[in-house]
Amino acid sequence: MPKILIEDWSLIPFREAWSKQEQYVREIQQGLRPSTLILCEHPAVLTIGREGGEQNVKVDSSMLAMQGIDVIPINRGGDITAHNPGQLIGYPLFNLSEFREDLHWFLRSIEDIIMQVLAEYGIASGRLEGKTGVWIQEERKICAIGMHCSRWVTSHGFALNVNNDLSIFDMIIPCGIPDKEVTSMKSELQQTINMEDLKEKCRKAYSEYF
């Protein structure tokens, strides 16, 4: 199997991370860099994918501005979601031509890895028919996934709620789904998760899977 690199960008503003992703994608497309998994966290921000719109923002722009929260339309699939510290972001920038030229397979693979990592913490999770992401009892979304793919190189990725403040999701209709809840590992286990331990489990899972 091809070699993958794994980098930790720690807490990084979303726009900066997006710009670095685009640079890495160009390098991967040119054969200058192997497939790379980025792990990081973002300051509070709302992002809207290609299937979304600002109609799913429930508060006015002045309230968001007071809290320093930007609303950023981006080129991934999916609708609106929120990022904030304590949420683990994973950006798998992979050349699918070296693995399998099938974006649906890749999305399911990311779900498989997240479910495997959650199981290590005793959290049973699964899929919701017709929806991308990882769910608890088909009612509570714990991990959102949205990808972009250009010339078979992927960008964007997953957002796993770990210790983050979930009240940010009250500002939106998460993923444009009004009748489902959002949860986190901390909420499910009633204890704070060690983020470095979690990152190590993700690194191990990705390395073994790919």
Side-chain angles (χ1 to χ4, degrees), residues 10-11 40-43 45 81-90 142-144 158-166 168-169 182 195 198-199:
S10 300
L11 183 66
C40 64
E41 299 175 53
H42 294 315
V45 65
T81 195
H83 306 303
N84 57 355
Q87 180 189 66
L88 179 61
I89 306 293
I142 195 167
C143 183
F158 70 83
L160 174 62
N161 294 324
V162 184
N163 300 314
N164 48 316
D165 180 358
L166 297 180
I168 190 172
F169 290 97
V182 173
M195 187 66 85
L198 175 61
K199 287 178 181 177

Side-chain angles (χ1 to χ4, degrees), residues 29 33 129 139 149 163 190 207:
Q29 288 171 335
R33 164 180 287 277
E129 187 175 353
E139 289 295 327
C149 189
N163 300 314
Q190 293 298 298
S207 298

Side-chain angles (χ1 to χ4, degrees), residues 154-188:
T154 60
S155 55
H156 301 292
F158 70 83
L160 174 62
N161 294 324
V162 184
N163 300 314
N164 48 316
D165 180 358
L166 297 180
S167 67
I168 190 172
F169 290 97
D170 295 338
M171 298 179 174
I172 63 175
I173 301 174
C175 304
I177 306 172
D179 60 341
K180 300 293 183 183
E181 299 177 12
V182 173
T183 188
S184 67
M185 295 178 68
K186 182 178 180 179
S187 296
E188 295 298 317

Side-chain angles (χ1 to χ4, degrees), residues 30-207:
Q30 294 165 12
L32 303 175
R33 164 180 287 277
S35 296
T36 304
L37 170 66
I38 308 300
L39 298 176
C40 64
E41 299 175 53
H42 294 315
V45 65
L46 306 179
T47 66
I48 301 178
R50 294 189 303 271
E51 286 84 50
E54 293 198 14
Q55 72 274 9
N56 287 326
V57 180
K58 294 161 62 176
V59 298
D60 61 38
S61 56
S62 61
M63 181 177 291
L64 292 170
M66 281 193 299
Q67 298 184 49
I69 300 176
D70 288 335
V71 180
I72 305 176
I74 62 175
N75 61 346
R76 61 161 170 79
D79 204 300
I80 189 168
T81 195
H83 306 303
N84 57 355
Q87 180 189 66
L88 179 61
I89 306 293
Y91 294 132
L93 314 179
F94 279 30
N95 182 356
L96 295 189
S97 294
E98 295 181 343
F99 297 93
R100 181 171 164 183
E101 291 184 350
D102 184 337
L103 188 57
H104 292 287
W105 163 80
F106 192 59
L107 288 166
R108 302 294 83 78
S109 298
I110 294 172
E111 290 168 347
D112 285 341
I113 291 169
I114 296 298
M115 287 188 285
Q116 175 189 324
V117 170
L118 289 173
E120 293 187 49
Y121 288 87
I123 299 175
S125 61
R127 296 183 174 91
L128 181 64
E129 187 175 353
K131 304 292 183 185
T132 299
V134 179
W135 299 75
I136 309 293
Q137 297 176 342
E138 299 189 353
E139 289 295 327
R140 305 187 297 282
K141 193 169 197 177
I142 195 167
C143 183
I145 300 173
M147 305 293 300
H148 177 68
C149 189
S150 172
R151 289 165 47 195
W152 291 114
V153 176
T154 60
S155 55
H156 301 292
F158 70 83
L160 174 62
N161 294 324
V162 184
N163 300 314
N164 48 316
D165 180 358
L166 297 180
S167 67
I168 190 172
F169 290 97
D170 295 338
M171 298 179 174
I172 63 175
I173 301 174
C175 304
I177 306 172
D179 60 341
K180 300 293 183 183
E181 299 177 12
V182 173
T183 188
S184 67
M185 295 178 68
K186 182 178 180 179
S187 296
E188 295 298 317
L189 296 176
Q190 293 298 298
Q191 65 183 54
T192 300
I193 307 302
N194 184 301
M195 187 66 85
E196 293 309 313
D197 288 348
L198 175 61
K199 287 178 181 177
E200 183 55 37
K201 285 180 169 59
C202 283
R203 282 190 281 265
K204 184 172 183 288
Y206 263 88
S207 298

